[in-house]
Amino acid sequence: MKKPQISIVIPVLNEADTIGRQVSHLLDASNRLNSAEIILVDGGSTDGSLEMMRAMDGVVLIQSQRGRAIQMNAGARIAKGEILYFLHADSFPPFGFDQKILKAKSPSGCFRLRFEPADSFWLKLAPWFTQFDSFLLRGGDQSLFIQKEVFKSLGGFDERYKIYEDVEIVNRIKRSYDFRIINDFVTTSSRRFSENGTIRLYYHFAVIHLKAVMGQDPALLDAYYKKHIR
């Protein structure tokens, strides 16, 4: 079997409603000639996700301790591809995403982001902002591709972070490597905005950014998130 060029790493925790659709989308949206492998890393699902994933063809399934940073590092360790592509379980990259990543010829980068459903003015406006290269506009929902050797040189995700691990690693990447924003969209669920309120959620995200910039301990960022965000 041809060695995969891209390894897609997806941390999963209780995603029975989305993981099947996402894997089907990834298989349809990628070029089999790129031989992308899909690595699902379960962090202790209790909603039937694990059983669903065990029945899937065309995926690699492993289990690890809970925590996105921990799960993504675990997936990266077994990845065979030269490029790692980290993707949230409720996010759907554009058709041809694998070819777009290869054509970018960059050591790292992400896509732009749009929400579905975009049922408020702010969620409709958000995609316009994600074209700009600012840490305030980066997040794991936009996905992250990175050459495996670059990822290894950085020591992977910082497992002290239960949240904000995606922004933290992008900040480290950009100190030493080129970071490319591909002009196409990952579509992700707006469920957190529906559950928390759009303005309220953006406010709490801004507070977390500020706390992180001021050097607050990762455990305190997680505590703030758990207190204020569903």
Side-chain angles (χ1 to χ4, degrees):
M1 182 177 177
K2 182 181 177 181
K3 180 180 177 181
Q5 292 179 274
I6 300 173
S7 293
I8 307 166
V9 180
I10 305 170
V12 180
L13 181 64
N14 295 332
E15 294 288 355
D17 291 339
T18 61
I19 193 63
R21 288 191 295 112
Q22 188 194 45
V23 169
S24 294
H25 173 81
L26 293 172
L27 294 173
D28 290 341
S30 59
N31 186 334
R32 302 298 175 86
L33 295 177
N34 294 330
S35 300
E37 66 173 348
I38 301 173
I39 301 173
L40 306 176
V41 189
D42 187 75
S45 294
T46 58
D47 68 340
S49 298
L50 187 57
E51 291 73 21
M52 290 177 59
M53 293 185 289
R54 282 175 175 155
M56 290 178 183
D57 294 325
V59 304
V60 178
L61 172 63
I62 63 172
Q63 294 175 269
S64 78
Q65 295 179 1
R66 180 179 299 190
R68 274 205 305 253
I70 295 172
Q71 291 170 244
M72 290 188 288
N73 281 343
R77 282 193 291 271
I78 69 163
K80 298 176 182 177
E82 299 172 358
I83 298 172
L84 304 174
Y85 183 45
F86 297 102
L87 187 67
H88 286 182
D90 61 352
S91 297
F92 294 75
F95 277 84
F97 68 91
D98 52 336
Q99 297 174 72
K100 295 176 190 293
I101 289 172
L102 294 173
K103 288 179 180 178
K105 298 185 184 300
S106 176
S108 64
C110 68
F111 288 89
R112 295 174 63 185
L113 175 68
R114 63 185 171 202
F115 294 103
E116 179 65 37
D119 51 8
S120 76
F121 170 78
W122 295 108
L123 293 182
K124 290 182 175 72
L125 182 62
W128 184 80
F129 286 102
T130 59
Q131 67 184 295
F132 299 111
D133 190 9
S134 168
F135 81 96
L136 292 171
L137 303 171
R138 297 284 75 78
D141 287 333
Q142 292 178 253
S143 68
L144 170 68
F145 67 87
I146 182 170
Q147 292 175 358
K148 184 161 62 176
E149 292 307 311
V150 172
F151 184 78
K152 287 181 178 179
S153 74
L154 294 168
F157 289 96
D158 188 334
E159 295 184 0
R160 296 177 302 159
Y161 286 85
K162 305 303 180 186
I163 63 163
Y164 208 75
E165 78 291 333
D166 35 30
V167 181
E168 191 277 333
I169 195 171
V170 169
N171 287 341
R172 282 190 285 131
I173 291 169
K174 291 171 68 174
R175 293 184 195 126
S176 303
Y177 300 97
D178 179 59
F179 187 88
R180 185 77 53 84
I181 302 170
I182 297 176
N183 190 29
D184 205 340
F185 294 90
V186 168
T187 301
T188 196
S189 170
S190 60
R191 60 186 176 179
R192 281 187 301 177
F193 293 92
S194 299
E195 293 168 355
N196 292 276
T198 300
I199 301 300
R200 179 175 178 273
L201 188 56
Y202 274 131
Y203 167 78
H204 287 307
F205 282 161
V207 172
I208 290 170
H209 272 301
L210 179 61
K211 288 177 177 290
V213 169
M214 294 175 65
Q216 191 161 95
D217 185 271
L220 295 178
L221 298 181
D222 184 47
Y224 182 92
Y225 183 97
K226 289 177 177 176
K227 180 178 179 180
H228 295 286
I229 299 175
R230 294 180 61 188

